[in-house]
Amino acid sequence: MSYPQYPSPQQQSFQPAAGEPPLWAPHYGASLPVAVRRFFKKYATFSGRASRSEYWWWALVAFLVGVVLNIITSVAGAPGATVAANGTAVPGPGAIVGSILMIVWGLAVIVPSIALLVRRLHDANLSGWLVLVILVPILGALALLVMAILPSNPAGQRFDQPTGY
């Protein structure tokens, strides 16, 4: 890219580890393990930016964990499953374990997922408040999907707040 991605060495008071950008800066071309590690390190950080690779690697991990938890719930709920008088399926008692796991997982990652989306919007030089578009049924989710796909915009550097970590 032709624009400066990080502050000059005179402005930097620390050295990033092993060629990885500092935590406050977006990591363009992040691998899956790096993206997941940065996701949890920046648990509730709504300032700054997140690259497309950081965002989409985490989206893949979250999707796969959701699929695995749904499989666990289905398999655990199969033994003892019955059919109610009105014809609806009633899962077995083992489904409660899977449901609890899904609730715990959802509560554990909702705040950092929203923070990551806000940082992704910042990287596209959009306001983080646009995350509230999700409140519009169907079209809001589609609009956020389009915004998350947008490429990085150099003007998004205005959201960067260099820190010492």
Side-chain angles (χ1 to χ4, degrees):
M1 292 183 218
S2 61
Y3 60 92
Q5 186 174 5
Y6 307 115
S8 67
Q10 293 81 17
Q11 295 171 328
Q12 238 175 351
S13 61
F14 58 94
Q15 293 294 324
E20 197 173 299
L23 201 54
W24 58 264
H27 189 307
Y28 297 103
S31 63
L32 184 125
V34 170
V36 171
R37 185 172 53 245
R38 289 174 67 90
F39 173 81
F40 284 110
K41 281 185 178 178
K42 297 170 89 169
Y43 193 85
T45 305
F46 290 83
S47 62
R49 299 180 293 154
S51 66
R52 282 193 287 189
S53 59
E54 286 180 80
Y55 180 80
W56 290 109
W57 278 125
W58 173 251
L60 176 66
V61 167
F63 173 77
L64 292 177
V65 168
V67 167
V68 168
L69 289 175
N70 276 310
I71 290 171
I72 289 171
T73 303
S74 298
V75 170
T82 59
V83 177
N86 62 0
T88 59
V90 178
I96 294 173
V97 173
S99 298
I100 290 172
L101 287 174
M102 285 194 293
I103 290 169
V104 168
W105 170 254
L107 290 174
V109 299
I110 191 162
V111 170
S113 294
I114 293 170
L116 180 64
L117 180 56
V118 167
R119 292 192 311 268
R120 177 69 205 115
L121 292 172
H122 287 171
D123 193 47
N125 195 30
L126 299 170
S127 171
W129 288 102
L130 284 172
V131 78
L132 296 176
V133 168
I134 195 72
L135 298 175
V136 177
I138 301 168
L139 295 177
L142 184 62
L144 276 177
L145 174 68
V146 169
M147 288 185 256
I149 293 172
L150 290 174
S152 298
N153 186 335
Q157 288 182 0
R158 67 189 174 107
F159 295 104
D160 287 345
Q161 295 178 353
T163 61
Y165 64 91

